[in-house]
Every structure is written in C-alpha cells, then in structure tokens.
C-alpha cells in the first residue's frame, strides 16, 4: 500500500484511492476522484486492494455487488482492511454495503459492516421515484449540495460513534438521514459522482490524506 503516485501522473502527496469495480458507477467515481487530486485504480481482486490507501464503493445494485464481492473473494479482505482503518466511502449501494444492518435486503445479502447503522434499501421508492434535492452537508462549505437520489436508501438508526453529516430538509422524507461518517468511513444515500459537484469527493480525499 502506498500513497505515492507513479512518475508523470499525480503529485507525490496524492493518495492512491481504489474504486471497487465490480458493478455500478465506476467510471464516474474515477473521474471525480482524479479531478480532486487522487491517483485512482480500479479494484477487482484482493491483490489490487493491497495497492490502495482508500476505497470507494460506487452506486449500483447492492445485492449484485454483494454477490460479486464473494465471487471475486473480496468480501473478507475488504472487511479486514476496513477494520484496520482503511478510509472508505460508499454512495447509494455503497452506503448499503457499509452498513452493519441492511433492512429489506435479501436474506443472503452480505455487507462490509463498517458503519454502525441500519440502512433501508430502496427507501425512497423505485426507479420512477428518483429525485433531486438540496442537502446541507456538515463539513462542506458553500451552497447546499444538489443531491441525486436513485432508488436510494436512507439511514434509520445510527450508533453512538456515527456522525450525521446530512439530512433531507424538504418533502415527505424531511429529516431522513442521507449522509454519515464514522471514523475513516463515510457514506451518502445519493450519487455525487453524477452531479459534477466535486465537494463530496474532495471531502473524502481530505479524510484520506488526514488518515495517512
């Protein structure tokens, strides 16, 4: 594991951030992380996980990511790295994968169980119920983040060590938790990788640098 970049790519202080490349919005996260100064690598195998300082779990389908993580023998290695303090960020399905408890999931669904929280799958509804809304995020300056919710989960319970970073402020879901942090772990219900607003990715890369 190293935060050093390869010659001619990124500055020496750039952290190496892996994006779990099994399914979902992989390219969008790679682009956003690169734009905020990280050296980025896709992660599909345990050996590739060993070469990164941090990990992003993209939005997609959590049951599919769960199955593929088992198939590619990444489930336990990622759990171990998270337990050892590896900074990790999950968006949408990635939030579900980081939860210690998944509500409305498949009986055989596995998670990385890093954040002490209960997350409900598809809590905001199906694909046709996707929406966009402003979310104030603790730790991010400037205007509210324009969040994109697609078959998004929400957080129904957080443990004592979990810091709530953002909630929905309007509509029938007002007050629902949609952004959290626990130590080196961060998760959002929404997809910042689809917005062009790099502030969530910048916040995570800052977290990675601080952890290093």
């Amino acid at each position: 594991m190293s935060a050093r970049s390869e010659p001619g790519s990124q500055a020496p202080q750039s952290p190496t951030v892996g994006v779990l490349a099994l399914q979902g919005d992989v390219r969008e996260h790679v682009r956003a992380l690169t734009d905020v100064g990280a050296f980025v690598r896709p992660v599909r195998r345990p050996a590739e996980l060993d070469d990164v300082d941090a990990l992003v779990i993209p939005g997609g389908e959590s049951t599919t990511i769960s199955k593929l993580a088992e198939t590619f023998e990444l489930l336990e290695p990622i759990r171990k790295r998270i337990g050892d303090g590896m900074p990790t960020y999950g968006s949408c399905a990635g939030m579900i994968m980081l939860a210690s408890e998944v509500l409305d999931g498949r009986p055989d669904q596995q998670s990385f169980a890093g954040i002490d929280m209960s997350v409900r799958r598809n809590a905001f509804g199906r694909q046709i119920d996707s929406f966009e809304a402003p979310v104030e995020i603790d730790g991010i300056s400037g205007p509210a983040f324009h969040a994109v919710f697609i078959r998004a989960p929400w957080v129904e319970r957080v443990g004592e060590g979990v810091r709530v970073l953002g909630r929905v402020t309007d509509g029938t879901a007002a007050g629902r938790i949609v952004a959290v942090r626990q130590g080196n772990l961060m998760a959002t219900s929404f997809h910042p990788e689809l917005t062009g607003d790099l502030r969530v990715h910048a916040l995570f890369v800052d977290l990675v640098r601080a952890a290093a």
Side-chain angles (χ1 to χ4, degrees):
M1 182 181 69
S2 172
R4 295 182 297 275
S5 63
E6 296 176 354
S9 56
Q10 298 287 336
Q13 70 273 19
S14 297
T16 301
V17 180
V19 177
L20 187 62
L22 301 178
Q23 190 261 346
D25 301 332
V26 176
R27 282 180 289 185
E28 291 83 354
H29 275 295
V30 168
R31 186 181 304 113
L33 290 162
T34 301
D35 286 347
V36 296
F39 179 64
V40 189
R41 293 178 176 173
V43 172
R44 298 183 184 87
R45 304 286 182 181
E48 295 167 341
L49 181 66
D50 293 338
D51 292 331
V52 302
D53 303 309
L55 186 68
V56 169
I57 306 166
E61 173 50 56
S62 63
T63 55
T64 301
I65 293 172
S66 172
K67 288 179 181 178
L68 290 174
E70 290 187 88
T71 299
F72 284 83
E73 300 182 337
L74 276 165
L75 191 65
E76 290 305 325
I78 291 176
R79 282 176 175 168
K80 184 177 187 306
R81 286 292 308 276
I82 287 174
D84 290 341
M86 176 180 66
T88 306
Y89 165 59
S91 65
C92 197
M95 169 182 267
I96 295 168
M97 291 299 300
L98 283 174
S100 58
E101 182 182 21
V102 179
L103 306 174
D104 290 338
R106 290 171 54 100
D108 59 344
Q109 184 167 347
Q110 300 286 326
S111 78
F112 301 128
I115 300 178
D116 182 12
M117 63 180 176
S118 301
V119 170
R120 188 171 297 280
R121 290 181 69 246
N122 300 335
F124 288 101
R126 298 178 296 170
Q127 191 86 12
I128 60 172
D129 300 310
S130 300
F131 67 101
E132 301 178 17
V135 175
E136 298 281 353
I137 301 175
D138 190 14
I140 291 180
S141 60
F145 195 92
H146 189 78
V148 177
F149 295 86
I150 304 173
R151 295 180 61 193
W154 64 43
V155 179
E156 295 201 353
R157 178 198 63 84
V158 294
E160 291 184 4
V162 180
R163 175 183 166 194
V164 175
L165 298 181
R167 298 175 183 266
V168 175
T169 56
D170 298 315
T172 57
R176 291 295 185 181
I177 299 169
V178 293
V180 297
R181 176 178 174 181
Q182 181 176 353
N184 289 335
L185 308 179
M186 196 172 90
T188 63
S189 299
F190 51 87
H191 293 263
E193 72 277 11
L194 301 180
T195 65
D197 188 333
L198 300 175
R199 288 179 293 166
V200 169
H201 290 86
L203 180 66
F204 178 63
V205 171
D206 285 346
L207 185 160
V208 177
R209 289 194 176 103

